[in-house]
Structure formats: structure tokens, C-alpha cells
């Protein structure tokens, strides 16, 4: 299914952001890029996380991808925003299950943890997986309460 996506990175995640954006755009998705626009100038990941989360909570994109050095800072920042369920991961199983079970709406990846190829694989897996609902919805409701 073609989706509206939003992506952002700090300098540590810039390279994988570019690789993911190119791949998902080639797949036919609409990808809004909030920056940063190079991997050399140091920028602050919380600002990028907050901006991306606003795009999701305002309904302007369905899923988001945040990239920093480890993915950890981005996930911490994103999970402070109401309505955001961000998952930091580096394996394909988790990328699928966090959509299936957690209904994660933001994927966080580390450019110093995964290479471009792995990052693209994880992003495609995340975007292609669906929430299963059922008993998992009850748990999401508890998270949101
Ligand atoms: C920036 O050096 C680095 O701290 C950041 O990209 C990220 O890894 C934080 O979690």
C-alpha cells in the first residue's frame, strides 16, 4: 500500500536517511523529508524528533522514520510526544513485530549501528507490516491512557 511517510535525521543519521528516502520514494511512497541536509554539521536530534512527531499527530503522514547515531536519542524524544509510539531497533523481526503488535508509528534507526542496506531493509519491513489489532489494541489503549 502506498503511504504518506515523513523522515528526519540528525548528522549521525543523515546517510541512512538519504538511503531510506531514495528507496521508499522508488517504491512509490510519498516521503516528506524534514532534514537535516548534511552529515557534517552537528544538529540537535530532539528538535527533529519533535517536528516529525507533529506531522504524524496532525495526520499529515501515517508513519515516520527518525535517524540519529544510535536511534536511541530520537526514540526517547519521540516517545515523549502524546500519540507517538516510537521503536528503536536493528533487526528485521522487531521491525515487523513493532507494527504488528505495538502499532508503532515511528521507526528509529542508528546510522552508526546499521549500514545503508540494513537501514533500507528495516524501513521497508516496518512500512510494509500492518497492525494486527485484537488483543494488541487493548494494550495500545493502556499505553495511551
Ligand atoms: C550525536 O553525536 C548522537 O549523540 C546522536 O546522533 C544520537 O546517537 C543520540 O542518541
Amino acid at each position: 500500500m502506498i503511504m504518506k511517510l515523513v523522515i528526519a535525521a540528525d548528522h549521525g543519521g543523515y546517510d541512512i536517511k538519504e538511503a531510506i528516502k531514495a528507496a521508499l520514494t522508488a517504491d512509490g511512497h510519498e516521503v516528506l523529508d524534514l532534514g537535516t541536509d548534511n552529515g557534517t554539521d552537528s544538529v540537535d536530534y530532539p528538535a527533529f524528533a519533535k517536528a516529525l512527531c507533529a506531522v504524524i499527530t496532525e495526520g499529515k503522514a501515517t508513519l515516520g522514520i527518525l535517524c540519529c547515531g544510535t536511534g536511541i536519542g530520537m526514540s526517547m524524544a519521540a516517545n515523549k510526544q502524546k500519540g507517538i509510539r516510537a521503536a528503536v531497533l536493528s533487526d528485521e523481526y522487531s521491525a515487523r513485530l513493532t507494527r504488528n503488535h505495538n502499532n508503532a508509528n515511528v521507526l528509529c534507526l542508528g546510522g552508526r549501528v546499521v549500514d545503508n542496506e540494513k537501514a533500507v531493509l528495516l524501513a521497508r519491513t516496518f512500512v510494509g507490516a500492518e497492525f494486527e489489532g485484537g488483543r494488541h489494541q487493548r494494550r495500545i489503549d493502556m499505553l495511551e491512557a
Side-chain angles (χ1 to χ4, degrees), residues 53 56-57 78-86 103 105-106 144:
C53 292
I56 304 248
T57 55
N79 277 316
K80 290 193 175 292
Q81 304 299 315
K82 189 160 176 54
I84 295 298
R85 293 173 300 282
N103 200 12
N105 50 12
V106 175
E144 299 295 330

Side-chain angles (χ1 to χ4, degrees), residues 10-13 42-43 45 67-74 112:
D10 74 356
H11 51 290
S42 183
V43 294
Y45 62 81
C67 310
C68 64
T70 58
I72 295 170
M74 285 293 198
R112 297 170 188 156

